[in-house]
Amino acid sequence: TYPQSGKQASSRPTLQDVSFTIPAGSWTAICGATGSGQSTLARLLLRYWDVDSGQILLGDLPLAQLDPQAIRLAIPLVTQRIHIFSASIAENLRLGQPDASEEQLWQVLKTVELDQAIKGLPAGLNTRVGRYGGALSGGQRQRLSLARALLTDSPVLVLDEFTAHLEPALAARIRQRVREIRPQATIIEITHTLRQIEAADQVLVLSGGKLAEAGEPKQLLAQAGELAKLYAHEKEAAFTL
């Protein structure tokens, strides 16, 4: 529950009665209608806030016992709110891995299909991107943010709408490459786009701040439940557009 200012002590719970396990090495997609609590859940996993009751375990360790800064350094979060600094492309990438070689920088840029665009710039990796990365498009900034996270070689990645600014075919290719180069990583993806949902190992569906469904995507899509409804609504909306 988020605290409120003034006389109102609290708002209605954003998340409640939510319980699940994310197996090591799995790709888990968390989805639901807007406002269901997916992004809140991602930030709870990184201790931007702590839960009011219950607990979150990382392995056997209660998350509340771990240093928040250490968690965020160890577990990259890639969101659609992209943080790019007024520095060179290489410097932005090395925020994820300060001692990364130039070869490693090009490898992750190739993974996110940004290498050719960077090579086409007069200064290449040394190109300064300006304030908030203004020299790059929204899709390029998002891919640069993902490349920075991939450089960390972290065993866990939290991806919150990490392909929101990309066209579907490009998003699908990048998602496949992330799985190929990080086959052992535990990947937690928050998504409202269900085109690639069947590629996930597990899907958690939130509705009204509660866990409505959990299981393998094909199994859930075969049922007339929340995931099937969201999937049908997305296909209908895409057809209408």
Side-chain angles (χ1 to χ4, degrees), residues 182-197:
R182 303 295 294 278
Q184 305 301 321
T186 303
I187 298 175
I188 303 166
E189 179 186 4
I190 313 297
T191 183
H192 290 95
T193 304
L194 304 181
R195 297 184 190 96
Q196 301 293 319
I197 200 70

Side-chain angles (χ1 to χ4, degrees), residues 150-179:
L150 291 174
L151 267 177
T152 66
D153 200 29
S154 168
V156 181
L157 291 172
V158 180
L159 310 175
D160 188 354
E161 295 290 350
F162 78 112
T163 59
H165 299 286
L166 308 181
E167 58 93 14
L170 175 57
R173 292 195 301 271
I174 290 176
R175 181 178 276 104
Q176 181 177 348
R177 285 200 194 98
V178 169
R179 182 74 287 180

Side-chain angles (χ1 to χ4, degrees), residues 49-233:
W49 306 289
D50 285 325
V51 295
D52 300 322
S53 61
Q55 64 178 344
I56 301 173
L57 300 175
L58 180 60
D60 295 326
L61 295 173
L63 209 64
Q65 295 180 10
L66 303 177
D67 176 59
Q69 188 62 24
I71 294 170
R72 293 169 210 157
L73 286 172
I75 304 177
L77 169 65
V78 180
T79 76
Q80 56 185 324
R81 294 182 178 179
I82 307 151
H83 298 286
I84 301 297
F85 296 91
S86 181
S88 71
I89 290 168
E91 288 169 330
N92 269 284
L93 287 170
R94 286 193 173 109
L95 290 171
Q97 185 70 20
D99 60 352
S101 67
E102 189 168 306
E103 181 182 358
Q104 288 175 303
L105 301 187
W106 285 119
Q107 284 176 345
V108 291
L109 287 173
K110 185 176 181 179
T111 297
V112 300
E113 292 193 26
L114 201 53
D115 56 321
Q116 295 304 313
I118 302 304
K119 286 178 180 178
L121 297 173
L125 288 170
N126 295 318
T127 301
R128 297 188 68 83
V129 295
R131 191 178 184 187
Y132 306 124
L136 304 175
S137 69
Q140 289 173 330
R141 291 195 300 272
Q142 189 157 49
R143 283 181 281 163
L144 185 63
S145 178
L146 175 60
R148 182 168 61 200
L150 291 174
L151 267 177
T152 66
D153 200 29
S154 168
V156 181
L157 291 172
V158 180
L159 310 175
D160 188 354
E161 295 290 350
F162 78 112
T163 59
H165 299 286
L166 308 181
E167 58 93 14
L170 175 57
R173 292 195 301 271
I174 290 176
R175 181 178 276 104
Q176 181 177 348
R177 285 200 194 98
V178 169
R179 182 74 287 180
E180 288 172 353
I181 68 169
R182 303 295 294 278
Q184 305 301 321
T186 303
I187 298 175
I188 303 166
E189 179 186 4
I190 313 297
T191 183
H192 290 95
T193 304
L194 304 181
R195 297 184 190 96
Q196 301 293 319
I197 200 70
E198 292 186 46
D201 299 309
Q202 173 182 226
V203 180
L204 308 175
V205 186
L206 296 178
S207 178
K210 295 186 177 183
L211 184 61
E213 289 181 329
E216 295 181 3
K218 288 184 179 180
Q219 176 188 357
L220 295 183
L221 286 170
Q223 303 170 3
E226 289 296 323
L227 183 62
K229 291 176 184 176
L230 290 169
Y231 190 77
H233 178 73

